[in-house]
Amino acid sequence: MISSKNSNRAGAVYLVGAGPGDPELLTVKALKILRKADIVFYDDLVSPRILGVCRKKAELVYVGKRLGQHSCLQEDINSRLFQAASEHKIVARLKGGDPSVFGRVGEEYSSLLANGIQCEIIAGITTASGVASSLGFPLTHRDYAREILFLSGHKKDGANTDSFRNLNCIGKTLVVYMGLNSLDTIVSELLESGNSETTKIAIIQNATLSSERVFIGNLENIQTIVEENQVKSPALLVVGEIVGFYSEMEKLKNSFSEIPQTL
Ligand code: SAH
């Protein structure tokens, strides 16, 4: 527990977005902070290559909490950040993607500010945008989708989601974070909502990393695809017509004799 208000000598805590995995998708601001931070707290979704950009002398502290097995309670993390701010000048708390998208940054931000610690949130590229661009499907290509919904397949109390009830996917791109474990519920709720079995769905595991795997299916066959290929977390679900656009673009790309060079 945090016991007292902080003094003026306290350092600052930066709640930093690490992006989806590829270190090149870190923001310049995040990079600058990581190169200066005295101590860096990180969790499961932060790839080792991103930790590699931290200052050599920085202390790296793992505070991960995988779904269902809370290795570190939120309250403990809050007090460790508070403690670190009283011992160090620059404290970084690295979170996968954008800390403000299903990143529980609010709890840390409010706790630190309430306890007199200077604190700033540094945006990161959320997995949805990172993967959409790297795979080449615009989330709001206007021929396919005029709306994007960012949904979570997991609820705070561990209960299954019901966000997919009465949800028509036509004209929308649905992006589901933490959806792999509740895929069966998501699929049946989408079908019960009147969506066709042929509604397209993509699952991207380890997006933007060299271990990335992409699976394309529809509401009828996606569970079989997941089982047969032993798809594992972290994985992002994308539902909607834009998945068809992605497949079309892949065919065009495969017709190139040489793969275009990236930077
Ligand atoms: N703040 C993060 C999301 C955290 S919620 C962001 O903005 O991206 C955790 C979920 O994000 C995972 O269960 C998974 O659905 C998704 N995710 C995060 N990194 C991912 C990656 N590299 N590949 C696929 N999904 C990822």
Side-chain angles (χ1 to χ4, degrees):
M1 286 304 286
I2 295 167
S3 51
S4 62
K5 292 269 176 188
N6 204 2
S7 74
N8 290 335
R9 284 176 291 125
V13 178
Y14 295 90
L15 305 167
V16 182
D22 177 355
E24 301 217 324
L25 294 178
L26 270 174
T27 65
V28 174
K29 203 164 185 179
L31 190 62
K32 280 184 183 166
I33 289 165
L34 292 179
R35 285 192 174 149
K36 282 190 192 160
D38 306 298
I39 181 164
V40 179
F41 292 88
Y42 68 98
D43 50 39
D44 303 276
L45 287 173
V46 176
S47 73
R49 283 183 64 207
I50 289 192
L51 293 175
V53 310
C54 297
R55 206 163 68 97
K56 289 273 172 296
K57 284 185 180 165
E59 192 183 331
L60 303 180
V61 185
Y62 173 76
V63 286
K65 42 180 184 272
R66 288 176 212 280
L67 209 67
Q69 62 178 75
H70 287 256
S71 49
C72 251
L73 290 171
Q74 189 62 59
E75 248 184 45
D76 294 340
I77 297 176
N78 294 350
S79 47
R80 289 174 83 170
L81 291 174
F82 174 83
Q83 188 60 35
S86 50
E87 292 164 4
H88 302 278
K89 210 167 144 221
I90 300 180
V91 179
R93 164 69 167 121
L94 254 183
K95 287 171 168 280
D98 183 347
S100 301
V101 178
F102 301 125
R104 302 189 187 193
V105 79
E107 288 94 320
E108 292 170 19
Y109 188 62
S110 58
S111 157
L112 289 162
L113 289 181
N115 284 283
I117 303 288
Q118 266 190 66
C119 182
E120 201 180 316
I121 303 175
I122 310 298
I125 294 183
T126 191
T127 309
S129 341
V131 80
S133 298
S134 71
L135 291 182
F137 60 91
L139 293 167
T140 57
H141 187 318
R142 59 188 182 157
D143 292 344
Y144 301 85
R146 288 178 177 267
E147 291 175 69
I148 327 171
L149 293 183
F150 284 3
L151 299 158
S152 163
H154 178 73
K155 286 279 157 71
K156 197 176 177 186
D157 57 6
N160 265 334
T161 178
D162 58 4
S163 318
F164 302 85
R165 288 194 198 283
N166 304 317
L167 183 54
N168 185 319
C169 299
I170 293 171
K172 301 185 182 82
T173 301
L174 270 54
V175 182
V176 189
Y177 291 77
M178 296 171 280
L180 195 61
N181 292 340
S182 45
L183 184 63
D184 52 346
T185 315
I186 294 169
V187 166
S188 51
E189 289 187 1
L190 287 176
L191 290 171
E192 280 162 26
S193 305
N195 295 289
S196 147
E197 288 182 338
T198 58
T199 303
K200 296 180 177 64
I201 173 162
I203 300 192
I204 305 108
Q205 178 183 340
N206 293 338
T208 78
L209 293 166
S210 55
S211 51
E212 179 179 86
R213 300 203 294 162
V214 182
F215 302 95
I216 305 293
N218 56 40
L219 290 181
E220 190 184 21
N221 64 13
I222 196 67
Q223 283 159 284
T224 313
I225 294 175
V226 163
E227 277 159 31
E228 283 178 0
N229 293 283
Q230 300 189 16
V231 182
K232 299 269 184 298
S233 286
L236 196 77
L237 278 50
V238 179
V239 184
E241 280 307 305
I242 198 64
V243 174
F245 174 83
Y246 164 72
S247 303
E248 287 305 310
M249 294 305 108
E250 281 304 283
K251 279 187 216 149
L252 293 180
K253 283 199 244 172
N254 288 339
S255 66
F256 293 152
S257 50
E258 274 181 42
I259 298 166
Q261 294 292 308
T262 48
L263 292 176

